[in-house]
Amino acid sequence: MKTVVISGGSRGIGAAAVALFAEKGYRVYFLYEKNHTAAQAVAEKTGATAICCDVSDGAAVKNAFAGLDVDILICNAGICFSGLMSQMPEKDWDRIFDVNVKGIYNCVNAAMPAFLQKHSGSVVTVSSMWGQTGASCEVAYSATKGAVIAMTKALAQELGPSGIRVNCVAPGVILTDMCATVSPEILEETAADTPIGRNGTAMDVALAMEYLANAEFVTGQVLPVNGGYVI
């Protein structure tokens, strides 16, 4: 039985990934930071093991991975900030990079001993279509998600000789908590502008993650999960 560790697994895309991998018969662990109630609910529903951990804290991540024989790592933890860059406090800028970028650094390094021992492993990172195109009033978020793509491609080249694959999903408009403050009218417009004719679901992204996690001859790739919104 393969072991999967998913960061940011208590809500949205992460929770869908936990449910999917558990259903497929994997041994699943997921990291979460604050929402104990949601994490407990996901754990009880799926049989996965919840671990409270701030991915920006390297020591905490190392402790969370201690004793785990990781086969697949899903780096899903992420936060966003909407607003003019000129009005974004420096502490918020630092925090979004600490979670969205440094969090991947911490999780990959924590999983590395298990990967290297087996000379195999699969990492799936989570970017965004805004990491590919940029978005007004999403400068920090776009910058972190662009960094995720660069990290993915560089790590794929660095780790490939060690039998470790690294790929990325780049979701479009996905109906999760991040869309909670978006007006229904705007969501209707994005659905109408999407060739498939709808916005995405968390399970749409989870299915893409599962594909990349097991696609043995695929590495260094960015898989858009946006219904054709960005082509």
Side-chain angles (χ1 to χ4, degrees):
M1 181 186 296
K2 289 186 176 181
T3 296
V4 182
V5 177
I6 301 170
S7 68
S10 64
R11 299 183 304 170
I13 293 170
V18 170
L20 179 63
F21 279 95
E23 180 185 342
K24 296 284 186 178
Y26 294 84
R27 182 184 295 109
V28 182
Y29 297 84
F30 69 93
L31 310 183
Y32 73 99
E33 184 186 0
K34 295 178 181 178
N35 198 327
H36 300 287
T37 301
Q40 183 178 5
V42 171
E44 290 177 354
K45 183 177 180 180
T46 63
T49 300
I51 303 173
C52 186
C53 175
D54 179 354
V55 296
S56 72
D57 183 336
V61 173
K62 185 177 180 179
N63 288 336
F65 277 73
L68 298 183
D69 186 17
V70 187
D71 297 291
I72 298 168
L73 171 64
I74 310 291
C75 296
N76 173 71
I79 57 176
C80 64
F81 179 92
S82 296
L84 297 173
M85 191 184 75
S86 60
Q87 297 177 0
M88 184 178 189
E90 183 178 355
K91 64 179 180 61
D92 291 339
W93 179 275
D94 291 342
R95 179 61 180 165
I96 196 170
F97 272 87
D98 281 347
V99 173
N100 294 7
V101 182
K102 186 181 177 184
I104 295 176
Y105 163 85
N106 287 334
C107 288
V108 171
N109 277 337
M112 197 62 63
F115 288 162
L116 292 176
Q117 184 176 17
K118 291 178 288 191
H119 200 75
S120 70
S122 178
V123 179
V124 179
T125 64
V126 180
S127 180
S128 164
M129 66 180 180
W130 301 140
Q132 297 173 300
T133 69
S136 175
C137 296
E138 296 271 7
V139 173
Y141 183 75
S142 299
T144 63
K145 293 305 183 177
V148 170
I149 290 173
M151 288 178 70
T152 299
K153 291 180 178 292
L155 279 172
Q157 296 176 71
E158 182 174 314
L159 300 179
S162 298
I164 303 164
R165 297 182 302 103
V166 188
N167 290 289
C168 179
V169 291
V173 179
I174 308 297
L175 299 176
T176 65
D177 292 350
M178 281 193 178
C179 288
T181 59
V182 180
S183 71
E185 292 77 16
I186 291 177
L187 290 176
E188 288 175 7
E189 289 177 6
T190 58
D193 290 340
T194 301
I196 287 179
R198 66 173 177 86
N199 294 314
T201 67
M203 188 54 69
D204 289 325
V205 184
L207 287 166
M209 290 174 169
E210 200 241 344
Y211 162 72
L212 289 175
N214 293 288
E216 294 185 357
F217 200 56
V218 179
T219 195
Q221 302 306 304
V222 180
L223 179 57
V225 189
N226 60 42
Y229 192 89
V230 174
I231 295 178

